[in-house]
Every structure is written in C-alpha cells, then in structure tokens.
Amino acid sequence: HLALNNDEAALDDFTRVAELMEPGLIREEALVKRGHALYMLGREAEALGVWRGFIEAHPDSPLTPSIRFRLGQYLWNVPDFVKAEDQFLALFKTDPESELAEQALFLAARAARKQQKYTEALDHIKVLIRTYEKSDRMPEARLLQGEVLRDMGKFSGAIVLFEQITKNWPESHLVDSAWGLIGDCQRTLGTGTNGTVRAARFRAARDSFRMVIESPTATPELRLQAKYKMGVVLENQELWDEALDAYKDVVYAFL
C-alpha cells in the first residue's frame, strides 16, 4: 500500500501490526512506517510525534539512527537549524558506528555554520576528521572547513585547506569548486593592499579562476562564475578592455 501511495490503507495496516505484534523488530518497523504514512498524508505533527516517541521508547533499536536522521532532515528543511544540529549530533554521539553517523556529524557542522556558530562548526569538523580519517567524505569536510574559515575572515588559512583538496584529491569533483574559492580568497586579500602584494594576490586569483575556466570537469555554472570573477579582478587592476572582454564572455555564453 505504501509503495502504491495508498497511504490511508498503509497507515491502517501499520497501526494494526503495531497493536497486534509482540515487542520486537517487526513491531518497531511498523511503528516507524506508521510515522512515514502519517508524513505522506501531510499529518506532519503526528508523524514527528510518532518518531520522537519511538526514539524515547526504543533508544537502542537498530532503527533509531535512521529516525534521528530523518528528524534532522525534516528540521533542516523547516528550517530549524538549532534543533537539526541537536538531532544530528545525538545520532553521532549515541550511534557512532551507524552508517549514518558520519553524514550526521557533517550535517551538524553545516547546521552550526548556518547559525554562524563558526567555532562550533569547526569543532564538529575536527571530530569528523579525527574519527573518520579514511573517509571518502574527507575532501567535502576540508572544503566545509575552509568555507567556515573564510566566513570568519581567515582567508589565508582557508586557502591552505582548499589547496589541500587540489593536491591530495585531484580526482575529486570538488577540485573545481576549491580553485574558485581560492580565487575568491586571493582577490579579497588583494583588495585594500598596494604595490607588489596587491599584484601578487590578484595574479594568484586570476590563475585560480583560469583553472576553473579551463577545467574539462567544471560545470557551466562554475565556469561562468569564474569568468565573471576574472572580470572583477581585471577591473580591480584597471585593465578595462580585458575586464570588458571577460564580462562579454559571460553574457554571450549565458545568452
């Protein structure tokens, strides 16, 4: 019934199973899916009540991590980043071996960043890196770590982390984004300075944006962003004709 979107019938079935079965995994699955059926019916408050009640009544169930994660996702989308962070952290702390624990900790860091709790976000990322040092998510964690440092105005430290991605994980899909972020940081560091420092920073920014523009793996959106930002740097350097050409490239490519 649930697969066929017959949600009312599914709700009745799961409710009956939960009432009739003895305590055990089948009854627990029925309770969880009863919440899912309520959610699909648009009865979100009831669904959340079912899931929260399940966590309280069955803290050690193998199904509890997935329910915590689902609650975290719901709270993220509301959005309520404070409570979402709490749910994701609770999942990691109570079930660190769960297949969802690493992703939950990463999302807790993102939720902290959304609240501009930058120190807390960095702490979550440091725990993730220490706990899951061989994870495939490491480039993503480093990118987020760099973005948080950039948010804090620590542009040089952010550049170091973005450069790690380009050097240590050259095949990652995040390399193009890392080059673009390096360019952003270099341009910011060059703004407001004078002489050779300004020239060096702007040159580094242009080189970084060029890496994105010439990358065969960069998305059209990233390339357009890099071309536009290249134009901004050229304008900062008062290279008016070259800046105009860069902006034209963006406009014509977009059209």
Side-chain angles (χ1 to χ4, degrees):
H1 282 308
L2 199 62
L4 292 169
N5 298 320
N6 298 329
D7 300 316
E8 286 284 5
L11 177 61
D12 290 342
D13 290 337
F14 294 135
T15 300
R16 282 175 55 79
V17 174
E19 291 171 349
L20 295 171
M21 287 296 297
E22 295 294 324
L25 187 58
I26 293 177
R27 183 174 183 274
E28 291 174 14
E29 288 178 348
L31 288 169
V32 169
K33 290 178 179 178
R34 180 173 179 273
H36 185 66
L38 285 166
Y39 187 84
M40 296 303 292
L41 286 166
R43 295 159 64 178
E44 294 180 1
E46 292 178 73
L48 295 176
V50 168
W51 288 335
R52 289 190 174 110
F54 182 89
I55 291 172
E56 292 177 7
H58 307 279
D60 299 322
S61 170
L63 302 177
T64 296
S66 65
I67 298 305
R68 285 194 187 278
F69 193 82
R70 184 173 292 175
L71 275 173
Q73 287 181 308
Y74 172 81
L75 292 164
W76 177 282
N77 291 327
V78 171
D80 186 337
F81 297 118
V82 176
K83 292 182 180 178
E85 181 187 2
D86 290 343
Q87 282 296 336
F88 291 133
L89 276 181
L91 195 167
F92 167 74
K93 291 177 179 178
T94 57
D95 297 277
E97 301 302 319
S98 166
E99 62 182 13
L100 294 170
E102 180 190 350
Q103 186 178 359
L105 186 54
F106 178 78
L107 290 174
R110 288 187 61 198
R113 183 192 177 202
K114 287 283 190 180
Q115 302 167 64
Q116 298 183 357
K117 294 161 42 178
Y118 300 131
T119 301
E120 193 168 303
L122 290 175
D123 288 342
H124 295 338
I125 298 168
K126 289 174 183 176
V127 173
L128 188 154
I129 291 171
R130 184 171 61 249
T131 307
Y132 307 102
E133 58 182 347
K134 296 182 179 179
S135 167
D136 293 337
R137 192 181 293 275
M138 201 56 62
E140 197 173 0
R142 289 298 189 191
L143 190 79
L144 179 60
Q145 192 176 24
E147 288 177 319
V148 174
L149 287 177
R150 185 189 62 166
D151 294 340
M152 298 171 73
K154 299 182 178 181
F155 300 106
S156 296
I159 288 172
V160 171
L161 290 168
F162 297 142
E163 287 178 340
Q164 283 184 12
I165 297 171
T166 66
K167 294 174 183 176
N168 297 341
W169 298 281
E171 303 302 319
S172 171
H173 69 284
L174 296 174
V175 166
D176 296 318
S177 295
W179 277 120
L181 289 164
I182 291 170
D184 288 340
C185 292
Q186 293 286 13
R187 179 171 63 86
T188 302
L189 288 170
T191 304
T193 60
N194 294 302
T196 57
V197 174
R198 177 184 176 89
R201 290 294 186 184
F202 283 155
R203 184 168 56 252
R206 289 169 59 181
D207 289 343
S208 299
F209 293 138
R210 190 173 292 110
M211 291 294 293
V212 181
I213 294 168
E214 297 177 355
S215 170
T217 58
T219 64
E221 291 80 6
L222 280 177
R223 283 202 194 94
L224 286 177
Q225 287 178 21
K227 285 182 179 181
Y228 166 74
K229 291 173 181 178
M230 178 76 83
V232 174
V233 176
L234 290 165
E235 187 177 353
N236 292 153
Q237 294 180 287
E238 298 184 2
L239 299 171
W240 310 117
D241 290 339
E242 293 178 57
L244 185 59
D245 287 340
Y247 291 143
K248 284 180 179 178
D249 285 345
V250 176
V251 173
Y252 294 153
F254 178 77
L255 293 176

